[in-house]
Amino acid sequence: TAGITQAPTSQILAAGRSMTLRCTQDMRHNAMYWYRQDLGLGLRLIHYSNTAGTTGKGEVPDGYSVSRANTDDFPLTLASAVPSQTSVYFCASSESGGASDTQYFGPGTRLTVL
Amino acid sequence: GQNIDQPTEMTATEGAIVQINCTYQTSGFNGLFWYQQHAGEAPTFLSYNVLDGLEEKGRFSSFLSRSKGYSYLLLKELQMKDSASYLCAVRNGDYKLSFGAGTTVTVRA
């Protein structure tokens, strides 16, 4: 069972370059999320999408953009990377985004911006 | 704003019991989640509490007191494979999850 896949697994990126992190889920979940995880800070929400065609800003959205053209895919784009965006990025999905909804996480992308 | 506190590290012996506490102050409350995360891997769901009391699931139990803004995760009969980070997360008033920084549990033989 695939669940949620992310690509690439890891990447080293020069500052100023752009990059898109890919996320695909095969569970037909309506809601999808992007988090970054930094040591000592825990997971922080970057952007989310409650359903295809809609997106919203999370706690730390600056420097990132997302799109949700269909149910399965939720790419995260860094338009001009900066070293502070070095982090581990996790994509997650949930059935509806409701109160008792459980989020399921992808394997993560480790990004280093130099 | 969101404030979720949990200890940074805990160490316990194989076969023992460990209790990981989590206190929270959030804008609204729609449930509390515990996730397990092994090093270099994705978080995986452990438990969900929305009403006060204890939820038991095998060797793991989770407790919630909404009036005190407090939860704990209880790990019984510890095994080496339980060495991981345990993340406390609160679903706030707009249904988004806010995570604590995580508690790293090390199980020693």
Side-chain angles (χ1 to χ4, degrees), chain B residues 6-75:
Chain B
Q6 49 182 132
T8 304
E9 295 180 335
M10 302 183 74
T11 300
T13 305
E14 198 173 14
I17 298 173
V18 70
Q19 177 174 315
I20 306 168
N21 296 324
C22 173
T23 59
Y24 63 89
Q25 292 176 306
T26 58
S27 304
F29 180 82
N30 282 296
L32 187 143
F33 293 77
W34 285 95
Y35 281 82
Q36 180 190 59
Q37 185 178 24
H38 286 100
E41 297 184 9
T44 55
F45 170 74
L46 284 179
S47 68
Y48 168 69
N49 295 69
V50 66
L51 300 176
D52 290 352
L54 188 68
E55 294 280 344
E56 298 187 83
K57 195 182 290 186
R59 295 188 297 114
F60 293 1
S61 303
S62 56
F63 172 83
L64 175 66
S65 169
R66 289 172 296 171
S67 63
K68 295 181 179 177
Y70 168 70
S71 174
Y72 67 72
L73 180 69
L74 195 69
L75 286 63

Side-chain angles (χ1 to χ4, degrees), chain A residues 10-103:
Chain A
S10 66
Q11 182 75 45
I12 298 174
L13 188 66
R17 300 296 295 266
S18 67
M19 173 157 191
T20 295
L21 309 185
R22 300 186 298 279
C23 174
T24 300
Q25 54 103 358
D26 64 1
M27 298 177 283
R28 307 305 291 172
H29 283 173
N30 283 313
M32 297 187 75
Y33 314 84
W34 274 105
Y35 293 89
R36 58 178 291 172
Q37 186 174 40
D38 302 289
L39 197 62
L41 293 177
L43 287 156
R44 292 181 291 169
L45 183 65
I46 304 170
H47 285 287
Y48 65 92
S49 168
N50 286 331
T51 189
T54 69
T55 62
K57 294 182 179 181
E59 181 185 354
V60 288
D62 294 343
Y64 307 94
S65 63
V66 291
S67 61
R68 186 90 184 276
N70 57 60
T71 297
D72 299 343
D73 301 299
F74 192 42
L76 177 74
T77 297
L78 288 68
S80 179
V82 295
S84 62
Q85 292 177 308
T86 293
S87 187
V88 181
Y89 290 85
F90 287 100
C91 178
S93 72
S94 66
E95 207 167 302
S96 65
S100 62
D101 219 22
T102 299
Q103 291 185 16

